Amino acid sequence: MSAELFPMRRAPGCPFDPPPAARAKQEEGPLARVGLWDGSTPWLVTRHAEQRALMADPRVSADITRPGYPSSAPIPPGGTSISFILMDDPEHGRLRRMVTAPFATKRVQALRPAIQRIVDDLVDELLAGPNPVDLVDAFALPVPSLVICELLGVPYADHEYFQDSSKTIVKRDVSTEQRTAAMGKLMSYLDDLVGTKMEHPADDLLSGLATRVEAGELTRSEAAQMGVLLLIAGHETTANMIALGTLALFENPDQLALLRDSDDPTLVASAVEELLRYLNITHSGRRRVATADIPVGDQVIRAGEGLIMANDIANRDAEVFPDPDRLDLRRDARRHLAFGFGVHQCLGQQLARLELQVVYSTLYRRIPTLELATDLDKVPFKHDGAVYGVYELPVRW
Amino acid sequence: MKVTVDEDRCCGAGQCVLLAPDVFDQRDEDGIVVLLDPAPRPDLHEAVREAAEVCPAAAIEIAEGP
């Protein structure tokens, strides 16, 4: 029997739920063989407990160059340039630590007033602009873009240029050539910017990297790679959480009302965790490869076998989250795996949390009549995206 | 309760600081964990236990006791 192809399809009319075939595998057991585009048959790890344990297991590698790594697309000649997320320690740790401080919890929390100002200004512009409008273009994308540009020291005026490239990079169904070309464009953009920061350092993350390049701790190309990674990760993900989260709240009006009518920061924080658990915009799974034999239940993952940790189904695991398909902003969802687990867990998670807290606590209170301006079945979902979400979200008020 | 942290394991995800800011902080230069209070007062114990539980790098150890 040939293994079912991964990624699987969502059910029609259920845009927020993981593919039924993946849920069925979860019910059968913690491990299931799936087929990839290249004919390989890695393990799909289906449950929360096993995903958590394996992502923290030192016998499990994130190194994309290892044989057996279940790559989501062909690796272009010359390798990929997505930096330390596809490396193991100690190299991963050395590079990650160079950019960790600006994302530290208390440093990020100090950005709250600045982020609130960005969000308030964008809501002002929304209210003064056309109605209906596409929320993705007018709000969901600008919020994280403005924030990450500020933090990195990337001129926001260039956003159309880099958003165009990053959109191509995070699509599932583009050719290797297209993806490589887009990556090349972004790399050379960031490389130029690192050069500029070497000559004119400012108080931003890229200037910090430029200083390390001058000190010989980092090559210029490594610095540019990190810039690309942080720029893409910093806006594609949060933008999709804003737009898809808003749509999920439109479809759950009692939950939307709860958020709109509350000024309790604890409820807002809990709502963010629950929407992260429920939506799973990173719907292609975390990819890993075993470096030793690892027993799981009555099966053994062999050294060299690929692993796909599908967080969308782990976050709907009823063992951990009772009544998992219900969006319940009051539940304790903090054990979700939306940011992954292990040493690769999302570096920008505190920034994402803060941006989403500010957005979810501001947008619906300031525009209480905000609603979907089309039918749910006419909304274009990113089924083909490495990051899930909506391409457009027409709203009115 | 006695708390210890492993700086080599820490990946700077910052979950512990979010949950128990009086007990954990992060270094200015590289975001790695700083233990502010190795013997936290009882009303912080639950938050510290959760911090250890959600730490993605298993860098927090707790010895329960008086």
Side-chain angles (χ1 to χ4, degrees), chain A residues 16-18 23 48 241 269-282 310-318 320-339 353 356 360:
Chain A
F16 305 112
D17 293 334
R23 300 293 291 277
H48 187 281
M241 276 301 299
S270 154
V272 168
E273 301 307 316
E274 172 65 349
L275 283 160
L276 286 162
R277 178 195 76 83
Y278 183 75
L279 295 173
N280 296 297
I281 54 154
T282 53
N311 50 285
D312 55 350
I313 48 176
N315 284 340
R316 300 289 184 98
D317 185 338
V320 185
F321 307 105
D323 197 3
D325 295 332
R326 196 158 69 89
L327 178 69
D328 174 6
L329 302 185
R330 292 180 199 267
R331 85 160 78 218
D332 180 3
R334 284 184 295 197
R335 295 185 69 219
H336 68 73
L337 299 177
F339 292 122
R353 284 193 168 97
L356 294 174
Y360 294 150

Side-chain angles (χ1 to χ4, degrees), chain A residues 52 56 96-97 100-101 103-107 109 212 332 334-335 341-343 345-347 349-350 353, chain B residues 7-8 10-15 17-19 21 24-32 50 53-56:
Chain A
R52 207 181 114 109
R96 175 168 165 138
R97 284 179 180 209
T100 299
F103 297 99
T105 305
K106 288 177 189 172
R107 288 263 291 269
Q109 283 168 347
R212 290 182 190 269
D332 180 3
R334 284 184 295 197
R335 295 185 69 219
F341 201 70
V343 295
Q345 194 183 53
C346 178
L347 174 68
Q349 59 181 289
Q350 307 306 345
R353 284 193 168 97
Chain B
E7 292 172 7
D8 291 335
C10 175
C11 64
Q15 301 261 52
V17 185
L18 191 65
L19 289 161
F24 304 100
D25 201 351
Q26 286 164 281
R27 291 200 295 240
D28 279 340
E29 62 274 24
D30 59 6
I32 296 309
E50 190 179 348
E53 150 86 17
V54 301
C55 173

Side-chain angles (χ1 to χ4, degrees), chain A residues 6-7 36 61-62 69-72 284-289 307-308:
Chain A
F6 185 90
L36 286 192
S61 167
Y69 181 95
S71 177
S72 57
S284 301
R286 263 76 181 185
R287 311 289 172 109
R288 298 288 190 271
V289 56
L307 301 171
I308 298 176

Side-chain angles (χ1 to χ4, degrees), chain A residues 89-105:
Chain A
D89 283 335
E91 197 54 13
H92 155 266
R94 183 182 79 83
L95 295 169
R96 175 168 165 138
R97 284 179 180 209
M98 290 186 188
V99 288
T100 299
F103 297 99
T105 305

